[in-house]
Structure formats: C-alpha cells, structure tokens
Amino acid sequence: MKLIMAVIQDKDSNRLANEFIDANIRATKLSSTGGFLKAGNSTFIIGVEDNRVQETLELIKKTCQSRKQYLSSTMSLDMSLDGQVPYPVEVEVGGATVFVLPVEGFHQY
Ligand code: 2BA
C-alpha cells in the first residue's frame, strides 16, 4: 500500500474529489496553505493499493491544471516620496505537487 499526498489548487478540488468517488478511490481532503504564496490550497491524502497508484496519479494529472497567480511585491524608487511602489509578480502555480510514500500499517477500527 502507498500513501499519496497531493497538494493541488482549490479550484480543482471538487472535480478531483468527484473523480475519486467515481473511481472508488478513498481520499481525505485537507485545507492547506502554501508556504510561499500564503494562499489557500487543498491537500488530498489517499491510501491506495500499489496496483492503483499509477491510475490515481493519472487522475490527478488529468484533473489539475497549472495556472498563473500574481503576488504583490514592492520596489524602491529613489525619486518617490515614500520610496515604495507596489507591482505584481507573476508566479506559475503547478497543477499538483505529489508525494508517494510507503505505508507500514493500515488499520480501521
Ligand atoms: P506555495 O508554497 O504557495 O507556492 C506557490 C508557487 O510559488 C509554487 O508553485 C512556485 O511556482 C512558486 N514558489 C514557491 N516557492 C518559491 C520560491 N522560494 N521562490 C520562487 N517561487 C516560489 P508549485 O511549485 O506548483 O507549488 C504549489 C504548492 O505546492 C505550494 O504553494 C506548496 O503548498 C506545495 N508545495 C510545492 N512544493 C512543495 C514541497 N517540496 N513540499 C511541500 N509542499 C510543496
């Protein structure tokens, strides 16, 4: 068995949850926050048998899109009175960041 952890964008999370239901793949969705953008994202934890890992990864890949987001930054201008001018910085956020881990035990009580 493997534990798949997939950090995805909130916009794709309902579609992915529905894909998992249709495919009979059990998953838990957590609300998470990206360390860099400090914006909300979604993390799915999915316990699957080894022979379904590839199928699960393919579902994630086909459902989750990468998108551009804008981060507000500031630059210093010598001539400006306050010295700080906000400007947008474009960041490409991936469709999914996925970790696959071995599972030592699985118990349901
Ligand atoms: P965030 O940490 O909010 O990062 C959002 C996007 O910002 C990243 O997209 C990347 O394009 C950019 N970014 C992140 N750190 C950066 C840095 N130090 N300098 C410049 N740009 C930076 P993704 O790489 O697709 O990551 C999307 C989300 O996946 C991340 O949100 C984070 O929540 C998670 N993630 C990515 N890599 C991870 C890792 N190695 N471990 C744990 N979570 C990770």
Side-chain angles (χ1 to χ4, degrees), residues 77-106:
L77 286 185
D78 294 340
M79 301 305 287
S80 108
L81 288 177
D82 293 327
Q84 297 282 302
V85 176
Y87 71 100
V89 175
E90 187 181 279
V91 176
E92 175 89 21
V93 184
T97 299
V98 184
F99 304 87
V100 181
L101 302 106
V103 173
E104 201 166 301
F106 173 68

Side-chain angles (χ1 to χ4, degrees), residues 9 12 64-68 92-96:
Q9 296 181 43
D12 296 319
C64 302
Q65 313 167 16
S66 65
R67 297 181 182 89
K68 290 181 173 44
E92 175 89 21
V93 184

